[in-house]
Amino acid sequence: MTATTHVAGIVAPGFEAVRAEFARNFAERGEIGAAVAAYWHGEKVVDLWGGRRTPESDAPWNEDTMVVVMSTTKGLSAMTLALANARRWLDYDAPVARYWPEFAQNGKAQVTVRQPPGHEAGLVLLDESLSLAKLRDLDYMARLLARQKPAWPPGTRHGYHTMTLGLYMQELIRRVDPAHRTLGRFFHDEIAVPLGLDFYIGLPPEIPDERLAKVKLLSPWRGLLALRYTPVAVTMKMIRPGSLLRRSFVGLSADPNDRSYLEAEVPAGNGVGTARAIARAYSAFAEDGAELGLVPETFARITAPPVMAGALDEVLGVPSYFSLGFLRPGPEPFFGLSQRAFGAPGAGGSFAFADPDAHLGYAYVMNKLDFYLENDPREKALRDAVYRAIARPTARTGAVEIVGASKHLGVPFP
């Protein structure tokens, strides 16, 4: 059975290979619906979308289609902390308890602001299950978060704070912002509106359902097939019932296709938007963030090489590198031209980052979730094509080429 897969958008001269790889994702790599965008030196050079908005129908992915991007949300949330630091509301090296006195419970008095977003605080677990009602009650969440006991002495190890990271960033923003806005509102007012972004942490009710892509969820059968490319250490952590990784996923039964979940603010995992919006945000940060009020000192802190406590990630079981809420390339970069790059991947395959050395803001989003921890072949093919294009001395021009509004490809339904 075949389907008509439309691929539409714009590419600048020199970036045609990105469109070719995007089309190959549908023809050869099992893509359902997706979008990719890149800004280079502040100019939009790639803005492509295509495929199906829902796995079970032929509804097209349109120019304004938005999708939940899972943990790719973390990087956009981290941008709010960066702005708070630039405004001198928040000192990364100060104790969290300076801004949030109740946080000092259970051995956390000396935890610094940089340790939770650096995944070094040991705050990967919660002592009770969450519900949407609890998530919406931010005073309740503040009390819950403040009483948590670290899983290891803060600052001695690091491990991925799967869902809790965003909750702690949320409360920090609420505490230091003179207007006491939520993180989602702060992001909207201070980043999304100035840059004209279609991205939300806490989806507004007025966004129509027709703009939202539905995701194809992970399944046990597809998980078995993924064992051939999933790191053994991660697999073992996931299947062992008492592991931190398994336990960190317990507590919030969230369906990314449930609109009521998307309308709550979960700054670690339920941001909804377009690739274009995410790439534009990272482009602003790749160009030092000055247009948003970021100061050179904060930009230097964001781009400084990460210094991780412990060789391996306690939660994932593999090396990982984080700093100030962003994923970092580490000594062996898998993205960017140097260790100065910063971004965030999302469960299933989405990925976005800023590369200051390349003056690049990039984002890829999709609605078919896969199991790659990094370098999903769909995304990596696009990223590599972008870097090949910017390496060409003739690639940078002011013109853009309008590519065909539709393309008929023989693509089997997954």
Side-chain angles (χ1 to χ4, degrees), residues 350-374:
S350 62
F351 186 39
F353 65 91
D355 185 344
D357 295 331
H359 296 273
L360 178 70
Y362 165 92
Y364 162 79
V365 303
M366 74 296 128
N367 64 354
K368 180 185 178 182
L369 306 188
D370 211 330
F371 287 85
Y372 288 89
L373 190 63
E374 61 185 44

Side-chain angles (χ1 to χ4, degrees), residues 42-109:
E43 299 175 6
K44 184 166 63 176
V45 293
V46 175
D47 185 7
L48 298 170
W49 59 90
R52 310 195 307 274
R53 195 170 68 248
T54 63
E56 68 282 355
S57 78
D58 285 332
W61 189 299
N62 297 315
E63 181 177 6
D64 65 349
T65 295
M66 299 189 295
V67 68
V68 60
V69 297
M70 312 302 183
S71 285
T72 297
T73 311
K74 288 181 171 71
L76 295 147
S77 296
M79 293 177 186
T80 67
L81 290 188
L83 290 187
N85 177 258
R87 296 174 185 183
R88 301 185 184 278
W89 298 346
L90 189 69
D91 181 347
Y92 286 123
D93 294 312
V96 173
R98 174 188 294 180
Y99 312 104
W100 182 4
E102 300 85 353
F103 179 87
Q105 299 174 56
N106 284 321
K108 302 195 299 298

